[in-house]
Amino acid sequence: MGTNESTHRTGAADPRELTAGERVGEWVIEQRLAGGGFGTVYEVRHRGTQRRAALKLLHAHLVTSAEMLARFDREVRVIGQLRHPNIVELVDAGFTRDGRPYLCMELVEGTELSTWIERDGRLSTDAALAVLEPPCDALATAHD
């Protein structure tokens, strides 16, 4: 794999998971943020600018699926076209040396709604509307 990306993945649950310090293009993995059926999201830092971002990487076992590659490509194109204060900005996209597509988007800090509800209890109607209005506005923009 060369100097850009290490094949050494000691300590990761899945040998294809990335670990802190590994590189994807010009992005250095800081930590794993989340994972799902489609891919894993990492907090990354750009080597040159030191900009922090979220990098979404398609799971290795899905690279052979034309349908999954098409979905990932569509996601990159859609996010790249959207401009809205409540939609993350696409900052980079490409492929790892082993052929997995990735996209980097702005990193948004915040508290998950489930954590907020566990901490503060049920939301009032006004609070629920305040939480739901921005993403609904973003969805309206995305569907226009």
Side-chain angles (χ1 to χ4, degrees):
M1 286 193 152
T3 58
N4 252 4
E5 295 172 69
S6 170
T7 57
H8 182 66
R9 309 242 192 283
T10 304
D14 178 339
R16 294 164 297 214
E17 290 279 330
L18 304 180
T19 58
E22 288 188 81
R23 286 179 43 197
V24 174
E26 291 299 309
W27 300 96
V28 179
I29 303 296
E30 297 279 318
Q31 65 178 323
R32 183 182 185 276
L33 295 176
F38 192 62
T40 304
V41 178
Y42 299 92
E43 180 181 341
V44 295
R45 188 173 303 275
H46 190 273
R47 284 189 52 214
T49 65
Q50 297 302 304
R51 178 180 184 169
R52 293 173 57 227
L55 183 141
K56 182 176 182 179
L57 179 64
L58 185 68
H59 289 313
H61 70 276
L62 298 176
V63 172
T64 58
S65 168
E67 179 185 351
M68 290 296 118
L69 290 172
R71 282 182 59 189
F72 200 92
D73 182 60
R74 188 171 45 251
E75 182 177 355
V76 169
R77 284 186 285 115
V78 168
I79 293 173
Q81 294 173 0
L82 295 174
R83 299 290 178 269
H84 188 277
N86 296 313
I87 298 175
V88 294
E89 174 190 356
L90 179 70
V91 296
D92 189 18
F95 291 87
T96 62
R97 289 184 182 252
D98 66 356
R100 291 190 283 170
Y102 70 88
L103 64 86
C104 279
M105 56 200 136
E106 95 184 90
L107 180 65
V108 178
E109 305 269 352
T111 303
E112 291 184 16
L113 182 58
S114 61
T115 302
W116 190 11
I117 291 170
E118 286 174 13
R119 184 188 64 218
D120 298 340
R122 184 177 174 179
L123 300 178
S124 69
T125 302
D126 288 341
L129 288 173
V131 167
L132 292 172
E133 187 176 0
C136 287
D137 189 39
L139 281 171
T141 297
H143 288 282
D144 282 345

PDB file of all heavy atoms in Angstrom, residues 38-54:
ATOM      1  N   PHE A  38     -23.624   0.430   5.905  1.00  0.00           N
ATOM      2  CA  PHE A  38     -23.109   0.947   4.644  1.00  0.00           C
ATOM      3  C   PHE A  38     -21.640   1.343   4.729  1.00  0.00           C
ATOM      4  O   PHE A  38     -20.886   1.167   3.787  1.00  0.00           O
ATOM      5  CB  PHE A  38     -23.970   2.161   4.265  1.00  0.00           C
ATOM      6  CG  PHE A  38     -23.790   2.668   2.874  1.00  0.00           C
ATOM      7  CD1 PHE A  38     -24.070   1.884   1.773  1.00  0.00           C
ATOM      8  CD2 PHE A  38     -23.375   3.964   2.666  1.00  0.00           C
ATOM      9  CE1 PHE A  38     -23.925   2.370   0.489  1.00  0.00           C
ATOM     10  CE2 PHE A  38     -23.222   4.469   1.386  1.00  0.00           C
ATOM     11  CZ  PHE A  38     -23.505   3.663   0.291  1.00  0.00           C
ATOM     12  N   GLY A  39     -21.248   1.890   5.871  1.00  0.00           N
ATOM     13  CA  GLY A  39     -19.875   2.361   5.990  1.00  0.00           C
ATOM     14  C   GLY A  39     -19.533   2.765   7.407  1.00  0.00           C
ATOM     15  O   GLY A  39     -20.329   2.611   8.328  1.00  0.00           O
ATOM     16  N   THR A  40     -18.331   3.307   7.543  1.00  0.00           N
ATOM     17  CA  THR A  40     -17.830   3.791   8.822  1.00  0.00           C
ATOM     18  C   THR A  40     -17.471   5.255   8.666  1.00  0.00           C
ATOM     19  O   THR A  40     -16.958   5.663   7.623  1.00  0.00           O
ATOM     20  CB  THR A  40     -16.592   2.988   9.263  1.00  0.00           C
ATOM     21  OG1 THR A  40     -16.932   1.600   9.294  1.00  0.00           O
ATOM     22  CG2 THR A  40     -16.104   3.417  10.634  1.00  0.00           C
ATOM     23  N   VAL A  41     -17.751   6.039   9.708  1.00  0.00           N
ATOM     24  CA  VAL A  41     -17.422   7.462   9.695  1.00  0.00           C
ATOM     25  C   VAL A  41     -16.315   7.711  10.709  1.00  0.00           C
ATOM     26  O   VAL A  41     -16.376   7.239  11.844  1.00  0.00           O
ATOM     27  CB  VAL A  41     -18.660   8.328  10.032  1.00  0.00           C
ATOM     28  CG1 VAL A  41     -18.294   9.805  10.059  1.00  0.00           C
ATOM     29  CG2 VAL A  41     -19.778   8.069   9.023  1.00  0.00           C
ATOM     30  N   TYR A  42     -15.308   8.452  10.247  1.00  0.00           N
ATOM     31  CA  TYR A  42     -14.153   8.772  11.070  1.00  0.00           C
ATOM     32  C   TYR A  42     -13.993  10.278  11.186  1.00  0.00           C
ATOM     33  O   TYR A  42     -14.316  11.017  10.255  1.00  0.00           O
ATOM     34  CB  TYR A  42     -12.862   8.231  10.428  1.00  0.00           C
ATOM     35  CG  TYR A  42     -12.840   6.745  10.251  1.00  0.00           C
ATOM     36  CD1 TYR A  42     -13.287   6.160   9.071  1.00  0.00           C
ATOM     37  CD2 TYR A  42     -12.361   5.911  11.259  1.00  0.00           C
ATOM     38  CE1 TYR A  42     -13.266   4.784   8.901  1.00  0.00           C
ATOM     39  CE2 TYR A  42     -12.339   4.536  11.091  1.00  0.00           C
ATOM     40  CZ  TYR A  42     -12.794   3.982   9.906  1.00  0.00           C
ATOM     41  OH  TYR A  42     -12.765   2.620   9.744  1.00  0.00           O
ATOM     42  N   GLU A  43     -13.487  10.727  12.323  1.00  0.00           N
ATOM     43  CA  GLU A  43     -13.020  12.108  12.422  1.00  0.00           C
ATOM     44  C   GLU A  43     -11.621  12.111  11.832  1.00  0.00           C
ATOM     45  O   GLU A  43     -10.788  11.268  12.177  1.00  0.00           O
ATOM     46  CB  GLU A  43     -12.980  12.581  13.865  1.00  0.00           C
ATOM     47  CG  GLU A  43     -12.493  14.008  13.994  1.00  0.00           C
ATOM     48  CD  GLU A  43     -12.426  14.501  15.424  1.00  0.00           C
ATOM     49  OE1 GLU A  43     -13.077  13.910  16.308  1.00  0.00           O
ATOM     50  OE2 GLU A  43     -11.705  15.494  15.651  1.00  0.00           O
ATOM     51  N   VAL A  44     -11.369  13.059  10.929  1.00  0.00           N
ATOM     52  CA  VAL A  44     -10.075  13.150  10.263  1.00  0.00           C
ATOM     53  C   VAL A  44      -9.559  14.581  10.318  1.00  0.00           C
ATOM     54  O   VAL A  44     -10.305  15.513  10.615  1.00  0.00           O
ATOM     55  CB  VAL A  44     -10.163  12.680   8.782  1.00  0.00           C
ATOM     56  CG1 VAL A  44     -10.496  11.200   8.701  1.00  0.00           C
ATOM     57  CG2 VAL A  44     -11.170  13.512   7.995  1.00  0.00           C
ATOM     58  N   ARG A  45      -8.279  14.723  10.024  1.00  0.00           N
ATOM     59  CA  ARG A  45      -7.638  16.038   9.956  1.00  0.00           C
ATOM     60  C   ARG A  45      -6.809  16.081   8.679  1.00  0.00           C
ATOM     61  O   ARG A  45      -6.081  15.148   8.380  1.00  0.00           O
ATOM     62  CB  ARG A  45      -6.758  16.257  11.182  1.00  0.00           C
ATOM     63  CG  ARG A  45      -6.204  17.669  11.283  1.00  0.00           C
ATOM     64  CD  ARG A  45      -5.476  17.889  12.604  1.00  0.00           C
ATOM     65  NE  ARG A  45      -6.279  17.634  13.771  1.00  0.00           N
ATOM     66  CZ  ARG A  45      -7.110  18.514  14.351  1.00  0.00           C
ATOM     67  NH1 ARG A  45      -7.252  19.701  13.832  1.00  0.00           N
ATOM     68  NH2 ARG A  45      -7.780  18.204  15.434  1.00  0.00           N
ATOM     69  N   HIS A  46      -6.945  17.177   7.929  1.00  0.00           N
ATOM     70  CA  HIS A  46      -6.185  17.326   6.691  1.00  0.00           C
ATOM     71  C   HIS A  46      -4.715  17.570   7.025  1.00  0.00           C
ATOM     72  O   HIS A  46      -4.398  18.399   7.885  1.00  0.00           O
ATOM     73  CB  HIS A  46      -6.744  18.486   5.859  1.00  0.00           C
ATOM     74  CG  HIS A  46      -6.185  18.553   4.487  1.00  0.00           C
ATOM     75  ND1 HIS A  46      -5.015  19.223   4.191  1.00  0.00           N
ATOM     76  CD2 HIS A  46      -6.621  18.007   3.333  1.00  0.00           C
ATOM     77  CE1 HIS A  46      -4.760  19.100   2.906  1.00  0.00           C
ATOM     78  NE2 HIS A  46      -5.731  18.359   2.348  1.00  0.00           N
ATOM     79  N   ARG A  47      -3.831  16.866   6.348  1.00  0.00           N
ATOM     80  CA  ARG A  47      -2.392  16.976   6.648  1.00  0.00           C
ATOM     81  C   ARG A  47      -1.857  18.382   6.454  1.00  0.00           C
ATOM     82  O   ARG A  47      -1.044  18.855   7.238  1.00  0.00           O
ATOM     83  CB  ARG A  47      -1.595  16.032   5.740  1.00  0.00           C
ATOM     84  CG  ARG A  47      -1.686  14.601   6.169  1.00  0.00           C
ATOM     85  CD  ARG A  47      -0.721  13.737   5.397  1.00  0.00           C
ATOM     86  NE  ARG A  47       0.609  14.307   5.456  1.00  0.00           N
ATOM     87  CZ  ARG A  47       1.500  14.247   4.488  1.00  0.00           C
ATOM     88  NH1 ARG A  47       1.212  13.654   3.359  1.00  0.00           N
ATOM     89  NH2 ARG A  47       2.690  14.778   4.615  1.00  0.00           N
ATOM     90  N   GLY A  48      -2.300  19.069   5.419  1.00  0.00           N
ATOM     91  CA  GLY A  48      -1.755  20.391   5.123  1.00  0.00           C
ATOM     92  C   GLY A  48      -2.432  21.517   5.874  1.00  0.00           C
ATOM     93  O   GLY A  48      -1.784  22.323   6.530  1.00  0.00           O
ATOM     94  N   THR A  49      -3.761  21.554   5.807  1.00  0.00           N
ATOM     95  CA  THR A  49      -4.502  22.685   6.375  1.00  0.00           C
ATOM     96  C   THR A  49      -4.886  22.483   7.837  1.00  0.00           C
ATOM     97  O   THR A  49      -5.292  23.415   8.493  1.00  0.00           O
ATOM     98  CB  THR A  49      -5.796  22.938   5.580  1.00  0.00           C
ATOM     99  OG1 THR A  49      -6.669  21.802   5.736  1.00  0.00           O
ATOM    100  CG2 THR A  49      -5.507  23.190   4.122  1.00  0.00           C
ATOM    101  N   GLN A  50      -4.809  21.244   8.311  1.00  0.00           N
ATOM    102  CA  GLN A  50      -5.232  20.856   9.663  1.00  0.00           C
ATOM    103  C   GLN A  50      -6.745  20.967   9.856  1.00  0.00           C
ATOM    104  O   GLN A  50      -7.243  20.875  10.973  1.00  0.00           O
ATOM    105  CB  GLN A  50      -4.495  21.668  10.743  1.00  0.00           C
ATOM    106  CG  GLN A  50      -2.990  21.447  10.744  1.00  0.00           C
ATOM    107  CD  GLN A  50      -2.637  19.982  10.948  1.00  0.00           C
ATOM    108  OE1 GLN A  50      -3.041  19.366  11.917  1.00  0.00           O
ATOM    109  NE2 GLN A  50      -1.885  19.416  10.022  1.00  0.00           N
ATOM    110  N   ARG A  51      -7.493  21.151   8.768  1.00  0.00           N
ATOM    111  CA  ARG A  51      -8.951  21.218   8.857  1.00  0.00           C
ATOM    112  C   ARG A  51      -9.482  19.874   9.331  1.00  0.00           C
ATOM    113  O   ARG A  51      -9.086  18.817   8.855  1.00  0.00           O
ATOM    114  CB  ARG A  51      -9.546  21.541   7.487  1.00  0.00           C
ATOM    115  CG  ARG A  51     -11.062  21.566   7.503  1.00  0.00           C
ATOM    116  CD  ARG A  51     -11.659  21.880   6.152  1.00  0.00           C
ATOM    117  NE  ARG A  51     -13.103  21.971   6.258  1.00  0.00           N
ATOM    118  CZ  ARG A  51     -13.876  22.427   5.318  1.00  0.00           C
ATOM    119  NH1 ARG A  51     -13.356  22.848   4.172  1.00  0.00           N
ATOM    120  NH2 ARG A  51     -15.180  22.480   5.483  1.00  0.00           N
ATOM    121  N   ARG A  52     -10.413  19.916  10.272  1.00  0.00           N
ATOM    122  CA  ARG A  52     -11.080  18.709  10.752  1.00  0.00           C
ATOM    123  C   ARG A  52     -12.289  18.439   9.869  1.00  0.00           C
ATOM    124  O   ARG A  52     -12.941  19.359   9.393  1.00  0.00           O
ATOM    125  CB  ARG A  52     -11.500  18.875  12.203  1.00  0.00           C
ATOM    126  CG  ARG A  52     -10.302  18.973  13.131  1.00  0.00           C
ATOM    127  CD  ARG A  52     -10.686  19.315  14.549  1.00  0.00           C
ATOM    128  NE  ARG A  52     -11.629  18.367  15.118  1.00  0.00           N
ATOM    129  CZ  ARG A  52     -12.735  18.722  15.775  1.00  0.00           C
ATOM    130  NH1 ARG A  52     -13.049  19.976  15.954  1.00  0.00           N
ATOM    131  NH2 ARG A  52     -13.536  17.803  16.268  1.00  0.00           N
ATOM    132  N   ALA A  53     -12.593  17.163   9.660  1.00  0.00           N
ATOM    133  CA  ALA A  53     -13.732  16.779   8.832  1.00  0.00           C
ATOM    134  C   ALA A  53     -14.219  15.404   9.278  1.00  0.00           C
ATOM    135  O   ALA A  53     -13.589  14.750  10.113  1.00  0.00           O
ATOM    136  CB  ALA A  53     -13.345  16.760   7.355  1.00  0.00           C
ATOM    137  N   ALA A  54     -15.331  14.997   8.715  1.00  0.00           N
ATOM    138  CA  ALA A  54     -15.850  13.650   8.912  1.00  0.00           C
ATOM    139  C   ALA A  54     -15.665  12.899   7.599  1.00  0.00           C
ATOM    140  O   ALA A  54     -16.074  13.385   6.542  1.00  0.00           O
ATOM    141  CB  ALA A  54     -17.323  13.693   9.305  1.00  0.00           C
TER     142      ALA A  54
END
